[in-house]
Amino acid sequence: MILEAISKNFFLYLSKNKVLDRMAKRFGTKFGADKIVGGETFSQAIPLIETLNHEGLQVTVDHLGEFVNSKKEARERAQECIETIQAISHHQLNSEVSLKLTSLGLDIDEELVMENMEQILEEAEKLGITVTIDMEDSSRCERTLAIYKALKENYPNLGTVIQSYLYKSEEYVDELDPYRPYLRLVKGAYKESGKVAFQEKQKVDENLKGLIKKNLLNGHYTAIASHDDAILDYTKRLVKEHGIPNDQFEFQMLYGMRNQTQHELLKEGYTVRVYLPYGEDWYGYFMRRLAERPANIAFAVKGIFTK
């Protein structure tokens, strides 16, 4: 347990190292990241999405990258997202889009974020594609939810994320209830202090179960984003006990993770969506995945020694 905690903190530390990030961009995704990242451009990800769709899996794509430094860069990111939405429609892919508000200028100007989001959502609404606002660290959580609330009234095909490791996550679900939210419920992947987040896995897990139950019983569409068998089994028992139809929820898993489980869930009649990230800024995402599960390190080792 101690070694696992050390490993997690080590990879979370590496995820923020700018020197290693620059090196990663030079070398590309060959160091194992191609096992969990769909490519450096959306065009590279299209064949993967088509394959996943053919297997019966739905997809959500995320153009990796956070913390833009200028309004120009934020607007470029918004345009890239619009082009991705258009490509999804053009290629008739069964895919949604996930995005981070920091990539659209959250830390620069909130009016800029709203402008960018409205342009993205207008195109998504026109083409019938759902967009989910990813959640970032706790310092940006409440601003993210405020923007979600402001946009949700005009754009019903908009979802967001709640992280169960935060003490206030149940309060957030209650606040969102009047908005009939589409929520992706996750444990959380950022390093947070004990002032705002549970530090014990058991408490994070129990809180996630409570959030799943609350949002489903509130009658709202729920994405259970977990690779944890205990969470999957809990959800199956819950929906059976309360007669919740399968079209009110879905399971979400990361691309390259637990592929066999994904297909087993499909065979059982559940909707399964694969979270497929792409982009040149893959390094931080890759390090956070290594931090979550030590077994993921095998992907990196194989990537280094395999041509």
Side-chain angles (χ1 to χ4, degrees):
M1 188 69 71
I2 294 175
L3 287 175
E4 184 175 328
I6 293 172
S7 173
K8 179 175 182 177
N9 290 335
F10 175 67
F11 283 109
L12 287 174
Y13 168 77
L14 291 182
S15 73
K16 299 177 182 178
N17 189 295
K18 294 183 179 179
V19 174
L20 292 177
D21 184 34
R22 287 195 296 270
M23 289 177 61
K25 288 179 181 177
R26 279 174 49 202
F27 287 106
T29 58
K30 67 180 181 179
F31 292 108
D34 59 346
K35 307 296 189 299
I36 60 174
V37 175
E40 296 184 12
T41 65
F42 185 69
S43 61
Q44 291 176 347
I46 289 173
L48 282 173
I49 298 171
E50 291 175 333
T51 298
L52 292 167
N53 288 167
H54 181 72
E55 294 172 358
L57 295 161
Q58 299 182 29
V59 174
T60 187
V61 294
D62 176 19
H63 185 196
L64 295 169
E66 308 166 43
F67 314 122
V68 299
N69 298 312
S70 69
K71 291 184 177 181
K72 178 177 180 292
E73 190 177 1
R75 290 192 176 100
E76 288 173 351
R77 287 298 181 91
Q79 184 58 37
E80 289 168 355
C81 190
I82 289 169
E83 291 171 2
T84 296
I85 289 168
Q86 292 169 341
I88 289 171
S89 177
H90 176 74
H91 291 275
Q92 298 182 320
L93 304 173
N94 189 339
S95 178
E96 298 180 354
V97 171
S98 294
L99 52 79
K100 289 182 173 60
L101 293 185
T102 51
S103 73
L104 301 176
L106 180 65
D107 295 343
I108 300 171
D109 181 353
E110 289 193 20
E111 287 187 12
L112 173 66
V113 173
M114 289 297 290
E115 175 189 321
N116 285 334
M117 281 298 299
E118 285 172 352
Q119 291 177 4
I120 290 166
L121 292 172
E122 284 292 332
E123 193 68 16
E125 192 81 7
K126 182 174 70 176
L127 298 175
I129 293 171
T130 297
V131 174
T132 296
I133 301 173
D134 279 339
M135 193 56 69
E136 302 179 67
D137 62 38
S138 60
S139 68
R140 297 172 176 88
C141 183
E142 297 198 359
R143 282 183 291 159
T144 298
L145 293 178
I147 290 170
Y148 175 75
K149 291 174 185 177
L151 292 167
K152 176 68 173 173
E153 293 183 14
N154 294 323
Y155 303 101
N157 288 341
L158 180 65
T160 193
V161 177
I162 299 295
Q163 301 157 314
S164 72
Y165 65 0
L166 295 179
Y167 298 144
K168 295 182 70 175
S169 57
E170 184 176 2
E171 179 182 326
Y172 294 147
V173 171
D174 288 336
E175 287 178 9
L176 292 174
D177 182 35
Y179 296 85
R180 298 196 57 77
Y182 163 21
L183 295 182
R184 178 194 300 152
L185 302 177
V186 304
K187 294 183 183 182
Y190 293 87
K191 184 172 175 59
E192 302 281 4
S193 78
K195 294 180 180 179
V196 297
F198 297 110
Q199 304 298 300
E200 302 86 0
K201 180 181 182 299
Q202 181 181 357
K203 290 184 178 179
V204 175
D205 292 354
E206 287 305 310
N207 201 35
L208 179 57
K209 291 177 182 178
L211 300 179
I212 293 168
K213 182 175 183 178
K214 180 180 284 285
N215 205 54
L216 283 173
L217 293 185
N218 283 346
H220 308 317
Y221 194 85
T222 307
I224 298 92
S226 177
H227 301 140
D228 190 331
D229 285 329
I231 299 298
L232 304 182
D233 291 341
Y234 169 80
T235 303
K236 292 178 187 179
R237 292 194 302 271
L238 178 72
V239 298
K240 185 175 182 180
E241 178 184 350
H242 293 276
I244 296 168
N246 284 5
D247 61 4
Q248 192 188 320
F249 69 97
E250 64 186 46
F251 293 109
Q252 291 191 5
M253 295 188 180
L254 301 173
Y255 172 65
M257 306 284 181
R258 304 215 61 186
N259 296 340
Q260 183 177 342
T261 300
Q262 293 174 19
H263 287 89
E264 287 172 354
L265 290 169
L266 278 180
K267 290 178 182 177
E268 293 173 22
Y270 299 109
T271 299
V272 182
R273 187 176 305 278
V274 175
Y275 184 94
L276 179 67
Y278 71 94
E280 293 182 356
D281 291 330
W282 56 267
Y283 170 77
Y285 172 84
F286 186 41
M287 289 297 111
R288 289 195 292 272
R289 298 295 79 78
L290 294 182
E292 285 177 350
R293 295 182 70 232
N296 295 343
I297 298 170
F299 287 129
V301 174
K302 185 177 180 181
I304 291 171
F305 294 105
T306 303
K307 293 184 179 180

